[in-house]
Amino acid sequence: MSTQNPSDRSNDPADDAPQRRKERGAAADGPLDRDREDESTSPSQADDPADDRAQRRPKPRGAAENREASPRHREEVAGQGSGETAGGAPATAKGEDPTAEQSAIDAATAFDPAIFDGGGSLSNTPPPKTTLGGEDYLTVNFYLEYESFTVIRNQLFEAREAAIRGSEANVIQLGEITGLVAPGGARVGSGDKAFYVPFRVATDHGITLLIADRAVPHRTHPSVQISAPSAPLMRLGFAGVWGLFQYLIEQLGATIVSNKLSRVDPCLDLPGTSVAVFTEPFDRGWVITRARKRRRHEDGLSAGRHFDGHKDTGFSVGKSPLGLRVYDKLHESRKRPLKLELLATARWAGLPDLATRIEFQLGRGRLKKLGVDTVEDWIAKRSDVVNYLMTSWFRLTSGPVDRKHADRTPTHPAWEAARVLFEECYGQPLGADMTPLPSLAIDPQQRLAVAVGVLKTAIVEMGYPIETNHDFLAVTMDLIAAFIIDRNMADEITRRIIEKGLGGLGL
């Protein structure tokens, strides 16, 4: 199948119909039914459109100067599995040279800005080899120290003001990356931990940056959050996108203090495999899962199973921060021709008649429970994490489940075959430490801020006049004294120390 965009093709679809029929025939046998050692590579690539991108690229508008990539900003990451599929270096067997392994890691995670001029190892053109799986979505929180935050802050404010006016001067150049600054910011996080950031930048590679108005790193709120959807991850691979994230931070004039993985979606595509292979045992209740929710969709309403009209398109299990979707990816992509073209080229080696996807969504809350804090943690542990998800958190069985001895029920052959294919993407489990991360202690200053806010509300509702801080303190002392008059606060504090396990720490 050609890698050209659909809009670039001849108006006559018959011109390439024979080739399409040939490719569909080649993809008819799904990966669950054929020998993976004979996996074919993708068709030949079209000319790289990046060759003339430098001539079309807008000139920088007051952007931070284009810095040469600095080793101090390159955080080394050690990956397992295929570098083509998951972005890390290939797994090294016992006894192999660790120096060679490290060289492979460095090569896999290096980022070459020359890709934007048509050179280097990465481009917007899909990779030359197809892969069945990898990350489908990635969000990382960065905690930064800026060389000169005032410079980039002024550029962001100017571009945002231009966007508010409807001007095309809302362009910001980050090295070789062109970004458009939105007229409004965005909310980062959820619930009572959410906060607002004023700058939202969308880049020409499909990457989104949410930038806080903060020169120094906060203890819990990130300086910048960067997200990549499926398209750049398929084009560049996980390692390429991770390198691109770090490149963008450099172009902001900042040094990475730390990173926190906020969300990652590992997935596996099965071209040539019907979703019914998985929905039939699911319908029969041949399921072992730790999830409490199972969903399907009928006429757009959550009803436990995915339907589109009378077409069965899959099922969902779990909810944020950990969910699983098994669905008809070909059907879902038919109305998005550019994405379908990318899938056919980068994942499926042609356009199959059937294609099923198994996709997990892991949010920050679940990642922490699996011992994953940073991107480096994910690369080191993802083979173990995915194996846990496919075996312990959810699996389809080959028959009715004995609920008293669920672990004795054999796994469904199709689900086991999918687990093995995940191993081809990420490597075999290594027995990584997945001990949950310790809970982050709340800053006492945050508790005091909450207490002051509560007291302010109480004073307002009670109608006390406050003109100075002295008035506030006096009223507060009177209210608290009246409230605890019949309580022994020394005993209560001692009991709370025991409950928190903080005895003997000098607190």
Side-chain angles (χ1 to χ4, degrees), residues 87-400:
T92 302
K94 292 183 179 180
E96 290 188 6
D97 184 2
T99 304
E101 179 189 10
Q102 186 60 46
S103 298
I105 292 169
D106 292 340
T109 58
F111 183 75
D112 183 3
I115 64 174
F116 303 114
D117 293 323
S121 58
L122 306 173
S123 73
N124 265 334
T125 303
K129 180 180 179 181
T130 56
T131 166
L132 291 178
E135 288 78 0
D136 186 67
Y137 199 93
L138 178 67
T139 299
V140 182
N141 293 336
F142 291 93
Y143 299 79
L144 309 176
E145 289 182 351
Y146 288 90
E147 295 173 13
S148 177
F149 183 65
T150 302
V151 174
I152 191 64
R153 183 177 187 269
N154 290 341
Q155 294 163 15
L156 289 166
F157 266 115
E158 290 174 6
R160 191 181 71 168
E161 289 300 316
I164 293 173
R165 297 193 307 268
S167 167
E168 294 184 358
N170 65 325
V171 176
I172 186 168
Q173 200 72 26
L174 299 172
E176 296 294 324
I177 305 288
T178 301
L180 297 179
V181 181
R187 179 175 171 171
V188 176
S190 59
D192 57 0
K193 295 183 179 179
F195 66 101
Y196 179 81
V197 297
F199 307 115
R200 179 159 50 95
V201 182
T203 76
D204 51 358
H205 272 62
I207 307 297
T208 300
L209 295 85
L210 303 180
I211 305 174
D213 188 10
R214 183 183 303 114
V216 295
H218 186 272
R219 183 168 177 267
T220 57
H221 294 170
S223 309
V224 176
Q225 182 182 89
I226 309 184
S227 298
S230 60
L233 283 161
M234 281 193 286
R235 289 187 182 112
L236 306 180
F238 182 88
V241 168
W242 174 229
L244 179 55
F245 281 12
Q246 296 176 82
Y247 177 80
L248 288 167
I249 295 300
E250 289 177 2
Q251 302 312 309
L252 289 173
T255 301
I256 298 172
V257 176
S258 63
N259 76 79
K260 306 289 184 184
L261 184 58
S262 179
R263 173 184 165 185
V264 64
D265 296 2
C267 71
L268 179 74
D269 281 352
L270 303 171
T273 300
S274 170
V275 73
V277 170
F278 301 101
T279 58
E280 288 177 2
F282 185 88
D283 289 342
R284 296 180 181 183
W286 296 355
V287 176
I288 298 175
T289 180
R290 296 174 184 266
R292 296 181 180 179
K293 272 199 170 185
R294 305 179 194 177
R295 295 185 302 278
R296 292 181 180 245
H297 297 280
E298 186 171 6
D299 296 331
L301 299 176
S302 179
R305 182 172 182 175
H306 294 289
F307 283 93
D308 189 338
H310 296 290
K311 182 177 178 61
D312 181 4
T313 60
F315 60 83
S316 299
V317 175
K319 62 178 183 178
S320 181
L322 174 55
L324 163 68
R325 289 201 303 154
V326 178
Y327 61 102
D328 186 335
K329 187 63 178 178
L330 181 62
H331 178 79
E332 186 243 21
S333 304
R334 284 195 183 279
K335 295 181 181 179
R336 305 169 67 182
L338 294 179
K339 184 172 184 179
L340 184 61
E341 181 80 10
L342 185 55
L343 283 164
T345 305
R347 286 279 173 86
W348 300 342
L351 189 61
D353 293 325
L354 302 165
T356 296
R357 169 166 289 190
I358 300 173
E359 180 178 304
F360 293 95
Q361 182 182 117
L362 287 157
R364 177 74 182 164
R366 179 58 64 165
L367 287 166
K368 290 167 63 177
K369 290 183 178 180
L370 294 171
V372 176
D373 186 26
T374 66
V375 173
E376 292 83 359
D377 286 341
W378 170 248
I379 294 174
K381 300 179 181 182
R382 57 190 171 185
S383 60
D384 291 271
V385 170
V386 171
N387 185 68
Y388 162 80
L389 296 175
M390 290 289 291
T391 57
S392 299
W393 188 77
F394 180 91
R395 66 184 176 97
L396 296 173
T397 63
S398 58

Side-chain angles (χ1 to χ4, degrees), residues 17-31:
Q19 176 65 19
R20 289 180 179 276
R21 284 195 295 269
K22 180 179 179 181
E23 290 166 354
R24 282 198 296 269
D29 294 329

Side-chain angles (χ1 to χ4, degrees), residues 41-112:
T41 58
S42 66
S44 60
Q45 301 294 307
D47 292 338
D48 192 341
D51 290 341
D52 62 342
R53 192 152 50 235
Q55 286 73 25
R56 300 197 311 269
R57 187 181 303 121
K59 296 294 183 182
R61 296 177 181 266
E65 71 176 299
N66 183 14
R67 300 170 184 80
E68 186 176 285
S70 170
R72 65 182 177 144
H73 298 309
R74 290 284 177 264
E75 299 191 19
E76 294 184 356
V77 289
Q80 300 294 335
S82 168
E84 294 289 345
T85 59
T92 302
K94 292 183 179 180
E96 290 188 6
D97 184 2
T99 304
E101 179 189 10
Q102 186 60 46
S103 298
I105 292 169
D106 292 340
T109 58
F111 183 75
D112 183 3

